[in-house]
Amino acid sequence: MAPRTCALCESAKAMLKRPKTGQQICRDCFFYVFETEVHNTIVQSKLFQPGDRVAIGASGGKDSTVLACVMKTLNDRYNYGLDLFLLSIDEGITGYRDDSLETVKRNQQQYEMPLKILSYDELYGWTMDAIVSQVGRKNNCTFCGVFRRQALDRGAAMLHVDHIVTGHNADDIAETVLMNIMRGDIARLGRCTAICTQGEDTIRRSKPFKYAYEKEIVMYAYFKKLDYFSTECIYSPDAYRGHARVFLKELEAARPSAIIDIIHSGEAFEVREEVKATQRVQQTCIRCGYMSSNDLCKACTLLEGLERGMASAGITDRGRKQLESQGPAPDNLRTIPFFKLPLGNPTIAIESTS
Amino acid sequence: MTTISLKVEFSGGLELLFSNQRSHAVTIPSTDPATSKPTDLQNLIFYLRDNLLKERVELFVETDTVRPGILVLVNDTDWELEGEGDYVLKDNDEIVFISTLHGG
Ligand SMILES: [Zn+2]
Ligand SMILES: [Zn+2]
């Protein structure tokens, strides 16, 4: 087969077929169109204001590694005027997170961005290794998900950033749409396609890669020779998501536009106001000050269960009742430091570039 | 029997199925003994499955091609531009397999 010429510059050899359009383009045109599309997403959704302090949620995986590279490129090229930071959560998983954090530390040097690493151990007094040794491998992902979400907000507050950006890509969002449909979780279905979410007083979170295909993110990393970490978490991968992912990849193989089509379907659902209302954040946790829909936030409930040796307290109603029947929490119970939103200048130490 | 030498690379987590080794030097016959046609990329995928793959074949091959979600590059070019499995291999070609299914 004779080499084909790039459909855009009409001079260089085409090296990639774009999944969204079928267009055949060269390496340099690919970098340019990929970055420009992310820029257009950012501008059209008005994600940032000049002077914003923005943390990139960095796991060392492909999406956040490419996101850090693209955010730096666009901030320089279009003068966004953003202060960029890397924020990593160390769940305390030996042989998994400790290795991927090495990738993040290299990113810190390559992109000259300050890095903050916040560990579960520091915040909750428990590593995931310790949690798994107590609760086993059944509900450990619940702990990890709840703890990570809160840790990201707390890390962002420590950095005094206004905004967290994450590497969620079009494939991830399409997958989440499918999962919410299959679970009948209509309130989440209504929110999961939003490019930017903000609770009453939480830090903004957004997804600049909302329309970026995974294939292109991986090709971008490959062509730019970005190094990223790609080992699956050693503690039980999310099996349900795994099935949704494989199903989606099969759909994509048959018709590449499937991913964007599913996102559009998710966006097109009109969720009734009363369904949305049940999901709103109403109050703050009486123990730690974090946003919560009950007296105690999820993380405090899970932590109390761990500390009192009744890990199911934060997972099932029965577990919760059992814990309550054992009396109130002891005074010396380990708790999460009180959450305050940032005001003024940051006072915490960030990792030094050395 | 004439042979061709290839450099084969696995990444994105796929290397875990191949002795946790990213780069492999592979020598295969230049024609497919069953059909006497020149060896193509599909022959290579079967060869890798039968000779190099250490575990969990279903994570690499599905029916007669790679599993959806695995990107293939031929000398740094997307194999979708090279005829995919029909691409006829040449001596010293570099073939890269990247899984997109692992972690973000
Ligand atoms: Zn071009
Ligand atoms: Zn709390």
Side-chain angles (χ1 to χ4, degrees), chain A residues 7-20:
Chain A
L8 294 175
C9 66
E10 297 178 347
S11 60
K13 176 180 181 282
M15 298 191 65
L16 166 105
K17 184 171 168 191
R18 298 202 73 193
K20 257 186 251 189

Side-chain angles (χ1 to χ4, degrees), chain B residues 83-103:
Chain B
E84 304 190 16
D86 295 336
Y87 171 81
V88 174
L89 292 161
K90 300 189 302 294
D91 204 29
N92 298 318
D93 274 349
E94 287 187 27
I95 312 295
V96 177
F97 297 90
I98 312 174
S99 172
T100 65
L101 294 164
H102 286 79

Side-chain angles (χ1 to χ4, degrees), chain A residues 6-13 25-30:
Chain A
C6 170
L8 294 175
C9 66
E10 297 178 347
S11 60
K13 176 180 181 282
I25 58 178
C26 73
R27 194 185 317 219
D28 287 339
C29 289
F30 167 60

Side-chain angles (χ1 to χ4, degrees), chain B:
Chain B
M1 183 177 68
T2 51
T3 57
I4 42 177
S5 302
L6 308 166
K7 190 181 154 202
V8 176
E9 220 179 273
F10 301 100
S11 68
L14 216 45
E15 65 277 16
L16 298 174
L17 306 180
F18 294 88
S19 326
N20 206 5
Q21 189 186 324
R22 290 173 82 105
S23 190
H24 298 254
V26 172
T27 304
I28 55 170
S30 55
T31 50
D32 176 4
T35 61
S36 354
K37 283 191 195 149
T39 301
D40 61 21
L41 203 34
Q42 188 185 34
N43 295 132
L44 176 67
I45 291 167
F46 292 153
Y47 178 88
L48 296 173
R49 176 195 65 192
D50 298 337
N51 295 280
L52 240 52
L53 187 72
K54 293 291 179 222
E55 51 190 308
R56 303 182 70 188
V57 58
E58 74 282 4
L59 296 185
F60 181 57
V61 178
E62 193 174 287
T63 56
D64 56 0
T65 186
V66 289
R67 186 185 187 213
I70 295 176
L71 304 182
V72 187
L73 292 106
V74 177
N75 302 319
D76 270 0
T77 298
D78 186 352
W79 78 329
E80 292 184 46
L81 302 181
E82 301 283 359
E84 304 190 16
D86 295 336
Y87 171 81
V88 174
L89 292 161
K90 300 189 302 294
D91 204 29
N92 298 318
D93 274 349
E94 287 187 27
I95 312 295
V96 177
F97 297 90
I98 312 174
S99 172
T100 65
L101 294 164
H102 286 79

Side-chain angles (χ1 to χ4, degrees), chain A residues 97-115:
Chain A
R97 187 53 87 211
D98 45 354
D99 290 349
S100 58
L101 285 173
E102 292 307 310
T103 311
V104 180
K105 287 177 187 163
R106 284 194 292 275
N107 289 166
Q108 169 196 15
Q109 296 182 356
Q110 286 156 358
Y111 308 134
E112 298 167 317
M113 288 179 202
L115 164 67

